[in-house]
Amino acid sequence: MLKREEGWITPMENIDRDQIRTYSDGRFHFFVGLCEKVGLPQLFNQHLKKTTGRPMDLPPGIEAMILMAPMAEEGYKPLYQLHDYYHTRDLEGIFHYPVQEKHIKDDRFGYFLDAFYEAGCRQIFSEICTNALVTYGIQVKNINYDTTSFVMWGEYETVEGKTGAISIDFGHSKARRSDKKQFKMAIGTADGTIVDAKVLSGNHSDKTFNKENITDTEKVLDRLGIDKNTFHSIADSAFFAKETLDGAKAAGMKWITRIPDNIKQAKALIEKGISEKGKTVSYRNAHNKDVKYVVEESRISYEGHALNCAVVYSVALEPAKRKSSERKIQKEKDQLDRVMKGLAKRSFSCKEDAQRELEVLQQDKKQLKAAFHTTTLSLISVDKKPQGRPSLYPTQRPTKTEYHIDMVIGRDQDKIDAYIQKECIFVLASNNPDLSAEAILLEYKTQSGVEKRFQQLKDPHFINSLYLEKPERIEALAYLILLTMMILSVMEQVVRKGMKEENETIIATGKKINKQPTQMMILRLFYNIVVQTYVREGKRIRYLFKPLNESQAKVIRYLGIPESTFAWNGT
């Protein structure tokens, strides 16, 4: 017996039983439902619409989702693999459009990427992102910006003076692959949700990005209607440059960043350390563990800017710093041991010569430089007997006295402890005089949200290699990847917020009860959805083989996705 929406279908009805199919494409249905909810297909259709020539057999919005759906589930798929990837799937049911297997061609999607680039991929990304945030009522109080590099394995000739498309070029590699060309991605997150993103050339410096990004941030604030008085832009230490600070001041933008340790004012604050007035602050990290800090407020002036600073000592950082310091301590000890062995091989027949050499060594700050050890030098005398057989006349072959410089190396634990303490201190700054040191720290720690997205981006299961030659197509594909990540990050925040407000849980894979599910946990909820289809009177009918379970129903309710997304029978 087959089930349908209005009742039960009996064997007497006109059903072509040879056309009955069963599919498990629930995670694709779910992702497409998300895309439709935030208006992605409509915006692609609007911007990439052709006004002349042959009509499109597939709308651009459908083409975009065909490229993005595998990224949400398994990661980026090369264009030439898409046909095989979708071979056994119900394309029409997934994308809610009469897509056929013959439509899945790599040339088609290459041309789509060209059109996406020409239409302005960053502008389209921004509009879809704004739609998503407004649709779900996500409030933005601060944005954390950072960049990462993505290694490319092709040749990619660099054209001097070229404008427009990104340049696949050499640059500072955050992946530590200075031998390879690269491009960069910049991401801005609010509480872990992507609210802005930009694809950059491989040689684009972080300082230049931060300076230029002030204007981009203003546009984001205007699009979302965010009040500058309650907003903070949060960035890493590359933000702390005179030109960038001047630009932020001119724009009336408040910011929080870390002062590089090599800045004179930061050095002085680190050297001073945390006094007894320091306040202990507890912060819950992404692993749901409380991390302790000690903070103290200070004020400095830098290049004409009055800054409110938080001098922060990280208690949690101490074990890691002790471990890394041991390597430096051992390296210094090995260097001093080599000096000591060299001194042991030298001998002086004259005590005055040995004394002069000792004084020279004591004044040699370079050779005996030690940050973690003490070195003590002294003269020792050694009586050396004549070589050969003992003489019958000892007075004729007297014993000689030689002088050596002795070196004793000691581990200076006080110096080591002081060094580790300084290593655990960093300085944060803000141009908002009303923020306390504690508030500066807690706002800055939201920077972990953007790092989390970079981890997702760098996961080889998400993106392994990009099989494209043209920089324009690489840029367009990069924005599709960022769109996918943005939609999934919005999904995660909305579901978590809904669960928190209702004090609900979901049963994730392995029957584990979860109160704060990740993106992958949410997606995996829909892996076991089974849709059965049949043909009746020339029309394909779809229905859920089993009703959605309680956890699945909660998630689509929070996201406002209709159940018909999974069993689409046309509009």
mmCIF file of all heavy atoms in Angstrom, residues 516-538:
data_model
loop_
_atom_site.group_PDB
_atom_site.id
_atom_site.type_symbol
_atom_site.label_atom_id
_atom_site.label_comp_id
_atom_site.label_asym_id
_atom_site.label_seq_id
_atom_site.Cartn_x
_atom_site.Cartn_y
_atom_site.Cartn_z
ATOM 1 N N GLN A 516 23.368 21.629 21.850
ATOM 2 C CA GLN A 516 24.032 22.635 21.032
ATOM 3 C C GLN A 516 24.645 21.957 19.802
ATOM 4 O O GLN A 516 25.854 21.811 19.694
ATOM 5 C CB GLN A 516 25.116 23.353 21.852
ATOM 6 C CG GLN A 516 25.471 24.713 21.312
ATOM 7 C CD GLN A 516 26.358 25.479 22.277
ATOM 8 O OE1 GLN A 516 26.926 24.926 23.206
ATOM 9 N NE2 GLN A 516 26.499 26.770 22.048
ATOM 10 N N PRO A 517 23.825 21.540 18.862
ATOM 11 C CA PRO A 517 24.321 20.758 17.724
ATOM 12 C C PRO A 517 25.172 21.596 16.770
ATOM 13 O O PRO A 517 24.943 22.793 16.595
ATOM 14 C CB PRO A 517 23.031 20.295 17.026
ATOM 15 C CG PRO A 517 22.021 21.343 17.378
ATOM 16 C CD PRO A 517 22.371 21.778 18.770
ATOM 17 N N THR A 518 26.146 20.949 16.154
ATOM 18 C CA THR A 518 26.968 21.585 15.137
ATOM 19 C C THR A 518 26.269 21.500 13.782
ATOM 20 O O THR A 518 25.237 20.837 13.637
ATOM 21 C CB THR A 518 28.334 20.910 15.048
ATOM 22 O OG1 THR A 518 28.147 19.541 14.636
ATOM 23 C CG2 THR A 518 29.052 20.940 16.390
ATOM 24 N N GLN A 519 26.863 22.143 12.782
ATOM 25 C CA GLN A 519 26.307 22.082 11.433
ATOM 26 C C GLN A 519 26.200 20.631 10.960
ATOM 27 O O GLN A 519 25.175 20.222 10.411
ATOM 28 C CB GLN A 519 27.204 22.859 10.471
ATOM 29 C CG GLN A 519 27.216 24.346 10.699
ATOM 30 C CD GLN A 519 28.171 25.044 9.757
ATOM 31 O OE1 GLN A 519 28.635 24.459 8.786
ATOM 32 N NE2 GLN A 519 28.461 26.300 10.031
ATOM 33 N N MET A 520 27.263 19.877 11.153
ATOM 34 C CA MET A 520 27.287 18.500 10.669
ATOM 35 C C MET A 520 26.237 17.651 11.380
ATOM 36 O O MET A 520 25.582 16.801 10.761
ATOM 37 C CB MET A 520 28.683 17.892 10.847
ATOM 38 C CG MET A 520 28.853 16.556 10.148
ATOM 39 S SD MET A 520 28.437 16.604 8.385
ATOM 40 C CE MET A 520 29.684 17.724 7.787
ATOM 41 N N MET A 521 26.070 17.854 12.670
ATOM 42 C CA MET A 521 25.044 17.113 13.412
ATOM 43 C C MET A 521 23.654 17.391 12.855
ATOM 44 O O MET A 521 22.833 16.478 12.709
ATOM 45 C CB MET A 521 25.082 17.483 14.897
ATOM 46 C CG MET A 521 26.280 16.964 15.659
ATOM 47 S SD MET A 521 26.245 17.514 17.374
ATOM 48 C CE MET A 521 27.817 16.880 17.967
ATOM 49 N N ILE A 522 23.392 18.658 12.551
ATOM 50 C CA ILE A 522 22.075 19.035 12.023
ATOM 51 C C ILE A 522 21.850 18.403 10.653
ATOM 52 O O ILE A 522 20.787 17.843 10.369
ATOM 53 C CB ILE A 522 21.942 20.559 11.958
ATOM 54 C CG1 ILE A 522 22.002 21.161 13.366
ATOM 55 C CG2 ILE A 522 20.628 20.952 11.279
ATOM 56 C CD1 ILE A 522 22.133 22.671 13.397
ATOM 57 N N LEU A 523 22.855 18.482 9.786
ATOM 58 C CA LEU A 523 22.721 17.912 8.445
ATOM 59 C C LEU A 523 22.506 16.403 8.498
ATOM 60 O O LEU A 523 21.715 15.845 7.739
ATOM 61 C CB LEU A 523 23.962 18.234 7.613
ATOM 62 C CG LEU A 523 24.116 19.696 7.157
ATOM 63 C CD1 LEU A 523 25.487 19.913 6.530
ATOM 64 C CD2 LEU A 523 23.020 20.071 6.175
ATOM 65 N N ARG A 524 23.214 15.746 9.408
ATOM 66 C CA ARG A 524 23.109 14.281 9.500
ATOM 67 C C ARG A 524 21.741 13.819 9.980
ATOM 68 O O ARG A 524 21.372 12.658 9.789
ATOM 69 C CB ARG A 524 24.203 13.738 10.409
ATOM 70 C CG ARG A 524 25.582 13.720 9.742
ATOM 71 C CD ARG A 524 26.663 13.266 10.689
ATOM 72 N NE ARG A 524 27.958 13.221 10.013
ATOM 73 C CZ ARG A 524 29.125 13.091 10.617
ATOM 74 N NH1 ARG A 524 29.160 12.997 11.960
ATOM 75 N NH2 ARG A 524 30.253 13.050 9.937
ATOM 76 N N LEU A 525 20.997 14.716 10.607
ATOM 77 C CA LEU A 525 19.634 14.358 11.015
ATOM 78 C C LEU A 525 18.789 13.951 9.814
ATOM 79 O O LEU A 525 17.847 13.160 9.942
ATOM 80 C CB LEU A 525 18.969 15.547 11.714
ATOM 81 C CG LEU A 525 19.380 15.859 13.149
ATOM 82 C CD1 LEU A 525 18.686 17.136 13.598
ATOM 83 C CD2 LEU A 525 19.037 14.712 14.086
ATOM 84 N N PHE A 526 19.115 14.493 8.641
ATOM 85 C CA PHE A 526 18.268 14.297 7.468
ATOM 86 C C PHE A 526 18.818 13.253 6.497
ATOM 87 O O PHE A 526 18.313 13.118 5.394
ATOM 88 C CB PHE A 526 18.081 15.645 6.758
ATOM 89 C CG PHE A 526 17.403 16.666 7.617
ATOM 90 C CD1 PHE A 526 18.140 17.520 8.429
ATOM 91 C CD2 PHE A 526 16.029 16.751 7.651
ATOM 92 C CE1 PHE A 526 17.518 18.454 9.243
ATOM 93 C CE2 PHE A 526 15.383 17.679 8.462
ATOM 94 C CZ PHE A 526 16.128 18.531 9.254
ATOM 95 N N TYR A 527 19.853 12.522 6.925
ATOM 96 C CA TYR A 527 20.428 11.491 6.061
ATOM 97 C C TYR A 527 19.480 10.316 5.858
ATOM 98 O O TYR A 527 19.498 9.670 4.813
ATOM 99 C CB TYR A 527 21.753 10.979 6.654
ATOM 100 C CG TYR A 527 22.958 11.818 6.310
ATOM 101 C CD1 TYR A 527 22.837 13.176 6.055
ATOM 102 C CD2 TYR A 527 24.235 11.273 6.244
ATOM 103 C CE1 TYR A 527 23.930 13.960 5.752
ATOM 104 C CE2 TYR A 527 25.334 12.049 5.929
ATOM 105 C CZ TYR A 527 25.183 13.391 5.694
ATOM 106 O OH TYR A 527 26.274 14.163 5.381
ATOM 107 N N ASN A 528 18.653 10.032 6.863
ATOM 108 C CA ASN A 528 17.826 8.816 6.793
ATOM 109 C C ASN A 528 16.411 9.084 6.277
ATOM 110 O O ASN A 528 15.544 8.219 6.384
ATOM 111 C CB ASN A 528 17.759 8.148 8.173
ATOM 112 C CG ASN A 528 17.107 9.045 9.217
ATOM 113 O OD1 ASN A 528 16.828 10.214 8.949
ATOM 114 N ND2 ASN A 528 16.877 8.500 10.406
ATOM 115 N N ILE A 529 16.184 10.253 5.729
ATOM 116 C CA ILE A 529 14.858 10.530 5.169
ATOM 117 C C ILE A 529 14.717 9.790 3.837
ATOM 118 O O ILE A 529 15.578 9.900 2.961
ATOM 119 C CB ILE A 529 14.658 12.051 4.968
ATOM 120 C CG1 ILE A 529 14.492 12.724 6.328
ATOM 121 C CG2 ILE A 529 13.450 12.329 4.077
ATOM 122 C CD1 ILE A 529 14.247 14.203 6.250
ATOM 123 N N VAL A 530 13.644 9.046 3.719
ATOM 124 C CA VAL A 530 13.396 8.264 2.505
ATOM 125 C C VAL A 530 12.156 8.821 1.798
ATOM 126 O O VAL A 530 11.105 8.994 2.410
ATOM 127 C CB VAL A 530 13.188 6.769 2.824
ATOM 128 C CG1 VAL A 530 12.851 5.990 1.550
ATOM 129 C CG2 VAL A 530 14.434 6.194 3.500
ATOM 130 N N VAL A 531 12.324 9.126 0.517
ATOM 131 C CA VAL A 531 11.218 9.603 -0.315
ATOM 132 C C VAL A 531 10.951 8.570 -1.396
ATOM 133 O O VAL A 531 11.880 8.109 -2.072
ATOM 134 C CB VAL A 531 11.554 10.966 -0.961
ATOM 135 C CG1 VAL A 531 10.459 11.374 -1.943
ATOM 136 C CG2 VAL A 531 11.729 12.031 0.117
ATOM 137 N N GLN A 532 9.704 8.182 -1.545
ATOM 138 C CA GLN A 532 9.335 7.227 -2.588
ATOM 139 C C GLN A 532 8.518 7.970 -3.650
ATOM 140 O O GLN A 532 7.716 8.850 -3.347
ATOM 141 C CB GLN A 532 8.515 6.074 -2.000
ATOM 142 C CG GLN A 532 8.482 4.847 -2.900
ATOM 143 C CD GLN A 532 8.050 3.606 -2.144
ATOM 144 O OE1 GLN A 532 7.023 3.613 -1.482
ATOM 145 N NE2 GLN A 532 8.815 2.530 -2.257
ATOM 146 N N THR A 533 8.775 7.608 -4.903
ATOM 147 C CA THR A 533 8.072 8.263 -6.002
ATOM 148 C C THR A 533 7.426 7.218 -6.906
ATOM 149 O O THR A 533 7.868 6.073 -6.973
ATOM 150 C CB THR A 533 9.044 9.122 -6.839
ATOM 151 O OG1 THR A 533 9.866 8.263 -7.644
ATOM 152 C CG2 THR A 533 9.928 9.982 -5.970
ATOM 153 N N TYR A 534 6.358 7.640 -7.576
ATOM 154 C CA TYR A 534 5.703 6.772 -8.552
ATOM 155 C C TYR A 534 5.087 7.669 -9.624
ATOM 156 O O TYR A 534 4.959 8.894 -9.451
ATOM 157 C CB TYR A 534 4.631 5.894 -7.888
ATOM 158 C CG TYR A 534 3.516 6.669 -7.249
ATOM 159 C CD1 TYR A 534 2.347 6.984 -7.952
ATOM 160 C CD2 TYR A 534 3.619 7.092 -5.919
ATOM 161 C CE1 TYR A 534 1.327 7.696 -7.353
ATOM 162 C CE2 TYR A 534 2.604 7.806 -5.324
ATOM 163 C CZ TYR A 534 1.461 8.108 -6.041
ATOM 164 O OH TYR A 534 0.444 8.816 -5.458
ATOM 165 N N VAL A 535 4.747 7.066 -10.747
ATOM 166 C CA VAL A 535 4.145 7.810 -11.855
ATOM 167 C C VAL A 535 2.675 7.435 -11.955
ATOM 168 O O VAL A 535 2.324 6.250 -11.991
ATOM 169 C CB VAL A 535 4.868 7.520 -13.182
ATOM 170 C CG1 VAL A 535 4.139 8.196 -14.346
ATOM 171 C CG2 VAL A 535 6.310 7.982 -13.099
ATOM 172 N N ARG A 536 1.817 8.466 -11.983
ATOM 173 C CA ARG A 536 0.394 8.251 -12.147
ATOM 174 C C ARG A 536 -0.130 9.261 -13.161
ATOM 175 O O ARG A 536 0.070 10.468 -12.995
ATOM 176 C CB ARG A 536 -0.342 8.428 -10.814
ATOM 177 C CG ARG A 536 -1.843 8.073 -10.892
ATOM 178 C CD ARG A 536 -2.515 8.316 -9.564
ATOM 179 N NE ARG A 536 -2.460 9.748 -9.233
ATOM 180 C CZ ARG A 536 -2.743 10.212 -8.013
ATOM 181 N NH1 ARG A 536 -3.055 9.378 -7.042
ATOM 182 N NH2 ARG A 536 -2.687 11.496 -7.781
ATOM 183 N N GLU A 537 -0.722 8.711 -14.201
ATOM 184 C CA GLU A 537 -1.268 9.532 -15.274
ATOM 185 C C GLU A 537 -0.222 10.479 -15.844
ATOM 186 O O GLU A 537 -0.462 11.658 -16.096
ATOM 187 C CB GLU A 537 -2.477 10.327 -14.766
ATOM 188 C CG GLU A 537 -3.629 9.432 -14.297
ATOM 189 C CD GLU A 537 -4.786 10.225 -13.729
ATOM 190 O OE1 GLU A 537 -4.636 11.474 -13.629
ATOM 191 O OE2 GLU A 537 -5.795 9.606 -13.375
ATOM 192 N N GLY A 538 0.991 9.943 -15.992
ATOM 193 C CA GLY A 538 2.080 10.690 -16.612
ATOM 194 C C GLY A 538 2.778 11.688 -15.711
ATOM 195 O O GLY A 538 3.724 12.353 -16.137
#
